[in-house]
Structure formats: structure tokens, C-alpha cells
Amino acid sequence: AFLSLPATAATIAVAHSLFNIVCTAILMPASGLLEKLSIALVPDKPTHHADGPMLDERLLATPAIAVERCRVVALDMAQEASDALNLSIESLTDASPALGEKIRALEDSTDRYEDTLGTYLLTLAQRPMTANDSDESGRLLHLISDFERIADHAVNILESAEELHAKKITLPADAQQELTTLEHAVQEIIHLSLTAFRTGDLSAASRVEPLEQVIDGLKDQLRTRQIARLQKGACSLETGFIWTDLLTNFERVADHCSNIAARLVGMEAGEDYDSHTLKNMMHHNPTKEYMLNYEQCRKDYLLPLEQLEA
């Protein structure tokens, strides 16, 4: 009967409400079917941001927003590099094809991130920007390079794990314990670097360099111990080569984490520190906080025999 009435705000509202109520009542029993249909039409599968349009060129007109967007995308890249490293360490005990494929996919993704972000940041550098935005965009260029290299080392570690598995080489028990100590130290340093980058936590950043110094020492000790095992015939020369590759890659991951921390400390201090400069400052004139952090890291990552002596 209301169809013959003039269209007023009240009648339109009533008609609209009735339509929605009736449609909801009809479709509610089929909600489960509609959910399944939606999943079938749009499957939920993991995708990497690097496969799609990560950065909108329209943001270039507003450099401050573009720089912040670059930082967000760089964080995604950093997380993938960290994931690749942690999975590569896992591959040393489980070198399955599926795990290897995942690590290589993450490394490929970080490559695409670096290409896309690098090109975008260089384009952005040609636009008028404030000094702060210009400095941060430059530092982001350095940071993404370090994270990309960490992912490269993750693949190198995976390849060592695959070689151990393919040749059915088992590390001696003491060597495995030593390697586990180094792995835990490297996992902590990548965690500290990622946390510092994500949250701006300078406390985390300040703990990176002391830990990197400890990792350098661990690498030297593990190399010396491996030479002793070779001399005693406790392991093969082939195992020694793989061992050396692993130590080198772990140590270089720590170096890149040191670079990242130096950049973050520099951002806060208003200086463009590189890792070499920061190391010289800390090693030649260490603060009390630095020495406390170093001693704590050294105690946390004592090798098995050292633990007994301590």
C-alpha cells in the first residue's frame, strides 16, 4: 500500500530497512555456504609485498610521507631477512627441501625489496626534502643493503647445511655444542638489530656492538678448535672447509648487524656513523655501559670448556 505514497525521507528509510532485514533473513541460513564460496573465489595464500606495488609514486609529491612509507616497507624486508637467517640455522639440523625452498624464496624477496626500495629512494632523493628526510632516506639505503646481505648469508648457511646432509657428514659432539653457542649469539644479534630498527630502541642498538665483538672472538676460538680436531684426526678436511664457511657467514651476519646498529645510533645522535667509525669510538674509548654489556655477552656465550673453567 505504501508504494502509492509520495517518496519522503521516512518512506525511503522504511523501505530500505525492510529490504535489508528481508535479505539478511534469507541469506543467514546460507552464511556457511557463502563463506566457502568466498574462500574458493579468493584463496588465502601468502604473498610477499615485494611481488606487488609496495610504494606509490604519488607519495613522491610528499617526501615526508614517502620516507615514512619506505621505512615501513624496509621493516617488512628486515623481518624477512631475519626469518631467512633463523630458518637457515634450523636447516643445520633439518635440511629438508621444503625448508630450503622457503629460505631461498625469502632471499629472492629481499632482493626484490632492495631493488624496489633502492630505486624509489634514489628517485625520492631528486625531490626537494628537509635535511632530516634526506638523511633518513640515505640511511635507509644503507640499511636495506645490510638486510639484503644478511639474507644472502642465510642462503650460504643453507648451502653448507645441504652439503653436510648430502655427504652424510656428522659434526663431532663438541663441535656441535660450539656451533650451537655461536648460533644463539647470532640469533640474538639479529633480534637486537631488528628490534632497534622497528622500535627505535637505542638500548637494544647499544648492545649490538659488544655482542658483535664477542662473536668475533667466538669465531676465532672455533676456528682454532677445529684446527686442533683436524690435527688429532677427529674430523675430515672436508668437514673443516664447511666449518670455515659457516664461521665466516655467521661472523659476516654479525658485521652487518653492527652496521645497522651504527646507522641507528647515528640517526639519534644526528651523525652519519658507519660501523668502522662506531667500533673505533667504542673500542678505543669504551664506556662503562659498553664494558658491562660486553662482559655480560661474553659470559652468556662461553664455550663448553670455558664454562667449566669459569
Coordinates of all heavy atoms in Angstrom, one line a residue, residues 158-222:
L158 N 72.5 -22.2 4.5 CA 71.7 -23.3 4.0 C 72.5 -24.2 3.1 O 72.4 -25.5 3.2 CB 70.5 -22.7 3.2 CG 69.7 -23.7 2.4 CD1 69.0 -24.7 3.3 CD2 68.7 -23.0 1.5
E159 N 73.3 -23.7 2.2 CA 74.1 -24.5 1.2 C 75.1 -25.4 2.0 O 75.3 -26.5 1.6 CB 74.8 -23.6 0.2 CG 73.8 -23.0 -0.8 CD 74.5 -21.9 -1.7 OE1 75.6 -21.5 -1.4 OE2 73.8 -21.5 -2.7
S160 N 75.7 -24.8 3.1 CA 76.6 -25.6 3.9 C 75.8 -26.7 4.6 O 76.3 -27.9 4.7 CB 77.2 -24.7 5.0 OG 78.1 -23.8 4.4
A161 N 74.6 -26.4 5.0 CA 73.8 -27.5 5.7 C 73.4 -28.6 4.7 O 73.4 -29.8 5.0 CB 72.5 -26.8 6.2
E162 N 73.1 -28.2 3.5 CA 72.7 -29.1 2.4 C 73.9 -30.0 2.1 O 73.8 -31.2 1.8 CB 72.2 -28.4 1.2 CG 70.8 -27.8 1.4 CD 70.4 -26.9 0.2 OE1 71.2 -26.4 -0.5 OE2 69.2 -26.7 0.1
E163 N 75.1 -29.4 2.1 CA 76.3 -30.2 1.8 C 76.6 -31.2 2.9 O 76.9 -32.3 2.6 CB 77.5 -29.2 1.6 CG 78.8 -29.9 1.2 CD 80.0 -29.0 0.9 OE1 79.8 -27.8 1.0 OE2 81.1 -29.5 0.6
L164 N 76.4 -30.8 4.1 CA 76.6 -31.7 5.2 C 75.6 -32.9 5.1 O 76.0 -34.0 5.3 CB 76.4 -31.0 6.6 CG 77.5 -30.0 7.1 CD1 77.0 -29.2 8.3 CD2 78.7 -30.8 7.4
H165 N 74.4 -32.5 4.8 CA 73.3 -33.6 4.7 C 73.6 -34.5 3.5 O 73.5 -35.7 3.6 CB 72.0 -32.9 4.5 CG 70.8 -33.8 4.4 ND1 70.4 -34.5 5.5 CD2 70.1 -34.2 3.4 CE1 69.3 -35.3 5.1 NE2 69.1 -35.1 3.8
A166 N 73.9 -33.9 2.3 CA 74.2 -34.7 1.1 C 75.3 -35.7 1.3 O 75.3 -36.8 0.8 CB 74.4 -33.8 -0.1
K167 N 76.4 -35.2 2.0 CA 77.6 -36.0 2.1 C 77.5 -36.9 3.4 O 78.5 -37.5 3.7 CB 78.8 -35.1 2.1 CG 79.0 -34.5 0.7 CD 80.2 -33.5 0.8 CE 80.4 -32.9 -0.6 NZ 81.6 -32.0 -0.6
K168 N 76.4 -36.8 4.1 CA 76.2 -37.5 5.3 C 77.3 -37.3 6.3 O 77.8 -38.2 7.0 CB 76.0 -39.0 5.0 CG 74.8 -39.4 4.2 CD 74.7 -40.8 4.0 CE 73.4 -41.2 3.4 NZ 73.0 -40.5 2.1
I169 N 77.7 -36.0 6.5 CA 78.8 -35.6 7.4 C 78.1 -35.3 8.7 O 77.2 -34.4 8.8 CB 79.6 -34.4 6.9 CG1 80.3 -34.8 5.6 CG2 80.6 -33.9 7.9 CD1 81.0 -33.7 4.9
T170 N 78.6 -35.8 9.8 CA 78.1 -35.5 11.1 C 79.2 -34.8 11.9 O 80.3 -35.3 12.0 CB 77.7 -36.8 11.9 OG1 76.6 -37.4 11.1 CG2 77.1 -36.4 13.3
L171 N 78.9 -33.7 12.4 CA 79.9 -32.9 13.2 C 80.1 -33.6 14.5 O 79.2 -34.2 15.1 CB 79.4 -31.5 13.5 CG 79.2 -30.6 12.3 CD1 78.6 -29.2 12.8 CD2 80.5 -30.3 11.6
P172 N 81.4 -33.6 15.0 CA 81.7 -34.2 16.3 C 80.8 -33.5 17.4 O 80.4 -32.4 17.2 CB 83.1 -33.9 16.5 CG 83.7 -33.7 15.2 CD 82.6 -33.1 14.4
A173 N 80.5 -34.2 18.5 CA 79.6 -33.7 19.5 C 80.1 -32.4 20.1 O 79.3 -31.4 20.3 CB 79.5 -34.7 20.6
D174 N 81.4 -32.2 20.3 CA 81.9 -31.0 20.9 C 81.8 -29.9 19.9 O 81.5 -28.7 20.2 CB 83.4 -31.1 21.3 CG 84.3 -31.6 20.2 OD1 83.8 -32.2 19.2 OD2 85.5 -31.5 20.4
A175 N 82.0 -30.2 18.6 CA 81.9 -29.1 17.5 C 80.4 -28.7 17.4 O 80.2 -27.5 17.2 CB 82.3 -29.7 16.2
Q176 N 79.5 -29.6 17.6 CA 78.1 -29.2 17.5 C 77.7 -28.3 18.7 O 77.0 -27.3 18.5 CB 77.2 -30.5 17.5 CG 75.7 -30.2 17.4 CD 75.4 -29.5 16.1 OE1 75.6 -30.0 15.0 NE2 74.9 -28.3 16.2
Q177 N 78.2 -28.6 19.9 CA 78.0 -27.7 21.0 C 78.5 -26.3 20.8 O 77.9 -25.3 21.1 CB 78.6 -28.3 22.3 CG 77.8 -29.5 22.8 CD 78.5 -30.0 24.1 OE1 79.7 -30.2 24.2 NE2 77.6 -30.2 25.2
E178 N 79.7 -26.3 20.2 CA 80.4 -25.0 20.0 C 79.6 -24.2 18.9 O 79.3 -23.0 19.1 CB 81.8 -25.2 19.4 CG 82.7 -25.8 20.5 CD 84.0 -26.4 19.9 OE1 84.2 -26.2 18.6 OE2 84.8 -27.0 20.6
L179 N 79.1 -24.9 17.9 CA 78.4 -24.2 16.8 C 77.0 -23.7 17.4 O 76.6 -22.6 17.0 CB 78.1 -25.2 15.7 CG 77.5 -24.6 14.4 CD1 78.4 -23.5 13.9 CD2 77.2 -25.6 13.4
T180 N 76.4 -24.5 18.3 CA 75.1 -24.1 18.9 C 75.3 -22.8 19.7 O 74.5 -21.9 19.6 CB 74.6 -25.2 19.8 OG1 74.3 -26.3 19.0 CG2 73.3 -24.7 20.5
T181 N 76.4 -22.6 20.4 CA 76.7 -21.4 21.1 C 76.8 -20.2 20.2 O 76.2 -19.2 20.4 CB 78.1 -21.5 21.9 OG1 78.0 -22.6 22.8 CG2 78.4 -20.3 22.7
L182 N 77.5 -20.4 19.1 CA 77.6 -19.3 18.1 C 76.3 -19.0 17.4 O 76.0 -17.8 17.2 CB 78.7 -19.7 17.0 CG 78.9 -18.7 15.9 CD1 79.4 -17.4 16.4 CD2 79.9 -19.3 14.8
E183 N 75.5 -20.0 17.1 CA 74.2 -19.8 16.5 C 73.3 -18.9 17.5 O 72.6 -18.0 17.0 CB 73.5 -21.2 16.3 CG 74.1 -22.0 15.2 CD 73.6 -23.4 15.1 OE1 72.8 -23.8 16.0 OE2 74.0 -24.1 14.2
H184 N 73.3 -19.3 18.7 CA 72.5 -18.5 19.7 C 72.9 -17.0 19.8 O 72.1 -16.1 19.8 CB 72.5 -19.1 21.1 CG 71.8 -20.4 21.1 ND1 72.0 -21.3 22.2 CD2 71.0 -21.0 20.3 CE1 71.2 -22.4 22.0 NE2 70.6 -22.2 20.8
A185 N 74.2 -16.8 19.7 CA 74.7 -15.4 19.7 C 74.3 -14.7 18.5 O 73.9 -13.5 18.6 CB 76.3 -15.5 19.8
V186 N 74.4 -15.3 17.3 CA 74.0 -14.7 16.1 C 72.5 -14.4 16.0 O 72.0 -13.4 15.6 CB 74.4 -15.5 14.9 CG1 73.9 -15.0 13.6 CG2 76.0 -15.6 14.8
Q187 N 71.7 -15.4 16.6 CA 70.3 -15.2 16.6 C 69.9 -14.0 17.5 O 69.0 -13.2 17.2 CB 69.6 -16.4 17.1 CG 69.5 -17.5 16.1 CD 68.9 -18.8 16.6 OE1 69.2 -19.3 17.7 NE2 68.0 -19.4 15.8
E188 N 70.7 -13.8 18.6 CA 70.4 -12.7 19.5 C 70.8 -11.3 18.8 O 70.0 -10.4 18.9 CB 71.2 -12.8 20.8 CG 70.8 -11.6 21.7 CD 71.5 -11.6 23.0 OE1 72.3 -12.5 23.3 OE2 71.4 -10.7 23.8
I189 N 71.9 -11.3 18.1 CA 72.3 -10.1 17.5 C 71.4 -9.6 16.4 O 71.1 -8.4 16.2 CB 73.8 -10.1 17.0 CG1 74.4 -8.7 16.9 CG2 73.9 -10.9 15.7 CD1 75.9 -8.7 16.6
I190 N 70.8 -10.6 15.6 CA 69.9 -10.2 14.6 C 68.6 -9.7 15.2 O 67.9 -8.8 14.8 CB 69.6 -11.3 13.6 CG1 68.7 -10.8 12.4 CG2 69.0 -12.5 14.2 CD1 69.4 -9.9 11.5
H191 N 68.2 -10.3 16.3 CA 67.0 -9.9 17.1 C 67.1 -8.5 17.6 O 66.2 -7.7 17.5 CB 66.7 -10.9 18.2 CG 65.6 -10.5 19.1 ND1 64.2 -10.5 18.7 CD2 65.6 -10.0 20.4 CE1 63.5 -10.0 19.7 NE2 64.3 -9.7 20.7
L192 N 68.3 -8.2 18.2 CA 68.6 -6.9 18.7 C 68.5 -5.8 17.6 O 67.9 -4.7 17.8 CB 69.9 -6.8 19.4 CG 70.0 -7.6 20.8 CD1 71.5 -7.6 21.2 CD2 69.2 -6.9 21.8
S193 N 69.1 -6.2 16.5 CA 69.2 -5.2 15.4 C 67.8 -4.9 14.8 O 67.4 -3.8 14.5 CB 70.1 -5.8 14.2 OG 71.4 -6.0 14.7
L194 N 67.0 -6.0 14.7 CA 65.6 -5.8 14.1 C 64.8 -5.1 15.1 O 64.0 -4.2 14.7 CB 65.0 -7.2 13.9 CG 63.6 -7.2 13.2 CD1 63.6 -6.5 11.9 CD2 63.1 -8.6 13.0
T195 N 64.9 -5.4 16.4 CA 64.1 -4.7 17.5 C 64.5 -3.2 17.5 O 63.6 -2.3 17.6 CB 64.4 -5.3 18.8 OG1 64.0 -6.6 18.8 CG2 63.6 -4.5 19.9
A196 N 65.8 -2.9 17.4 CA 66.2 -1.5 17.4 C 65.7 -0.7 16.2 O 65.2 0.4 16.3 CB 67.7 -1.4 17.4
F197 N 65.7 -1.4 15.0 CA 65.2 -0.7 13.8 C 63.6 -0.5 13.9 O 63.1 0.5 13.5 CB 65.5 -1.6 12.6 CG 65.1 -1.0 11.3 CD1 65.1 0.4 11.1 CD2 64.7 -1.8 10.2 CE1 64.7 0.9 9.8 CE2 64.3 -1.3 9.0 CZ 64.3 0.1 8.8
R198 N 62.9 -1.6 14.4 CA 61.5 -1.5 14.4 C 61.0 -0.5 15.4 O 60.0 0.3 15.2 CB 60.9 -2.9 14.8 CG 59.4 -2.8 14.8 CD 58.8 -4.2 15.3 NE 59.0 -5.2 14.2 CZ 59.7 -6.3 14.3 NH1 60.4 -6.5 15.4 NH2 59.8 -7.1 13.3
T199 N 61.6 -0.4 16.6 CA 61.1 0.4 17.7 C 61.9 1.6 18.0 O 61.5 2.5 18.8 CB 61.0 -0.5 19.0 OG1 62.3 -0.8 19.4 CG2 60.2 -1.7 18.8
G200 N 63.1 1.7 17.4 CA 64.0 2.9 17.8 C 64.6 2.7 19.1 O 65.0 3.7 19.7
D201 N 64.6 1.5 19.6 CA 65.2 1.2 21.0 C 66.7 1.3 20.9 O 67.4 0.4 20.5 CB 64.7 -0.2 21.4 CG 65.2 -0.5 22.8 OD1 65.9 0.3 23.4 OD2 64.9 -1.6 23.3
L202 N 67.3 2.4 21.4 CA 68.7 2.6 21.4 C 69.4 1.7 22.4 O 70.6 1.4 22.3 CB 69.1 4.0 21.6 CG 68.7 5.0 20.5 CD1 69.2 6.4 20.8 CD2 69.2 4.5 19.1
S203 N 68.7 1.2 23.4 CA 69.3 0.3 24.4 C 69.6 -1.0 23.7 O 70.7 -1.6 23.9 CB 68.3 0.1 25.5 OG 68.8 -0.9 26.4
A204 N 68.7 -1.5 22.8 CA 69.0 -2.7 22.0 C 70.1 -2.4 21.1 O 71.0 -3.3 20.9 CB 67.7 -3.1 21.3
A205 N 70.1 -1.3 20.4 CA 71.2 -1.0 19.5 C 72.5 -0.9 20.1 O 73.6 -1.4 19.6 CB 70.9 0.4 18.8
S206 N 72.6 -0.4 21.4 CA 73.9 -0.3 22.1 C 74.4 -1.6 22.5 O 75.6 -1.7 22.8 CB 73.7 0.6 23.3 OG 72.9 0.0 24.3
R207 N 73.6 -2.7 22.5 CA 74.1 -4.0 22.9 C 74.6 -4.8 21.7 O 75.2 -5.9 21.9 CB 72.9 -4.8 23.6 CG 72.6 -4.2 24.9 CD 71.2 -4.6 25.4 NE 71.0 -6.1 25.4 CZ 69.8 -6.7 25.4 NH1 68.7 -5.9 25.4 NH2 69.7 -8.0 25.5
V208 N 74.4 -4.2 20.5 CA 74.8 -5.0 19.3 C 76.3 -5.0 19.2 O 76.9 -6.1 19.0 CB 74.2 -4.3 18.0 CG1 74.9 -4.9 16.8 CG2 72.7 -4.6 18.0
E209 N 77.0 -3.9 19.3 CA 78.4 -3.9 19.1 C 79.2 -4.7 20.1 O 80.1 -5.5 19.7 CB 78.9 -2.4 19.1 CG 80.4 -2.3 18.7 CD 80.6 -2.8 17.3 OE1 79.8 -2.7 16.4 OE2 81.7 -3.4 17.1
P210 N 78.9 -4.7 21.4 CA 79.6 -5.6 22.3 C 79.4 -7.1 22.0 O 80.3 -7.9 22.0 CB 79.0 -5.3 23.7 CG 78.5 -3.9 23.6 CD 78.0 -3.8 22.1
L211 N 78.2 -7.4 21.5 CA 77.9 -8.8 21.2 C 78.6 -9.1 19.9 O 79.1 -10.3 19.7 CB 76.4 -9.0 21.0 CG 75.9 -10.4 20.6 CD1 76.5 -11.5 21.5 CD2 74.4 -10.5 20.6
E212 N 78.8 -8.2 19.0 CA 79.5 -8.4 17.7 C 81.0 -8.7 18.0 O 81.6 -9.6 17.4 CB 79.4 -7.2 16.8 CG 79.9 -7.5 15.4 CD 81.4 -7.2 15.2 OE1 81.9 -6.5 16.0 OE2 82.0 -7.8 14.2
Q213 N 81.5 -8.0 19.0 CA 82.9 -8.3 19.4 C 83.0 -9.7 20.0 O 84.0 -10.4 19.8 CB 83.3 -7.2 20.4 CG 84.8 -7.2 20.8 CD 85.2 -6.1 21.7 OE1 84.4 -5.2 22.1 NE2 86.5 -6.2 22.2
V214 N 82.1 -10.1 20.8 CA 82.1 -11.4 21.4 C 82.0 -12.5 20.2 O 82.7 -13.5 20.3 CB 80.9 -11.6 22.4 CG1 80.8 -13.1 22.7 CG2 81.2 -10.8 23.6
I215 N 81.2 -12.2 19.2 CA 81.0 -13.2 18.1 C 82.3 -13.3 17.3 O 82.7 -14.4 16.9 CB 79.9 -12.8 17.2 CG1 78.5 -13.0 17.9 CG2 79.9 -13.5 15.9 CD1 77.3 -12.4 17.2
D216 N 83.0 -12.2 17.2 CA 84.3 -12.2 16.5 C 85.3 -13.1 17.3 O 86.0 -13.9 16.7 CB 85.0 -10.8 16.5 CG 84.4 -9.9 15.3 OD1 83.6 -10.5 14.5 OD2 84.6 -8.7 15.3
G217 N 85.3 -13.0 18.6 CA 86.1 -13.8 19.4 C 85.7 -15.3 19.3 O 86.6 -16.2 19.3
L218 N 84.4 -15.6 19.3 CA 83.9 -16.9 19.2 C 84.4 -17.6 17.9 O 84.8 -18.7 17.8 CB 82.4 -17.0 19.3 CG 81.8 -16.8 20.6 CD1 80.2 -16.7 20.5 CD2 82.1 -18.0 21.5
K219 N 84.3 -16.8 16.8 CA 84.7 -17.3 15.5 C 86.2 -17.7 15.6 O 86.6 -18.8 15.1 CB 84.5 -16.3 14.4 CG 84.9 -16.7 13.0 CD 85.1 -15.6 12.0 CE 86.4 -14.9 12.3 NZ 86.8 -14.0 11.2
D220 N 87.1 -16.9 16.1 CA 88.5 -17.2 16.2 C 88.7 -18.5 17.1 O 89.5 -19.3 16.7 CB 89.3 -16.0 16.8 CG 89.3 -14.8 15.9 OD1 89.1 -15.0 14.7 OD2 89.5 -13.7 16.4
Q221 N 88.0 -18.6 18.2 CA 88.2 -19.7 19.1 C 87.7 -21.0 18.4 O 88.3 -22.1 18.5 CB 87.4 -19.5 20.3 CG 87.9 -18.4 21.3 CD 87.0 -18.3 22.5 OE1 86.9 -19.1 23.3 NE2 86.4 -17.1 22.5
L222 N 86.5 -20.9 17.7 CA 86.0 -22.1 17.0 C 86.9 -22.5 15.8 O 87.0 -23.7 15.6 CB 84.6 -21.8 16.5 CG 83.5 -22.3 17.4 CD1 83.6 -21.6 18.8 CD2 82.1 -22.0 16.8

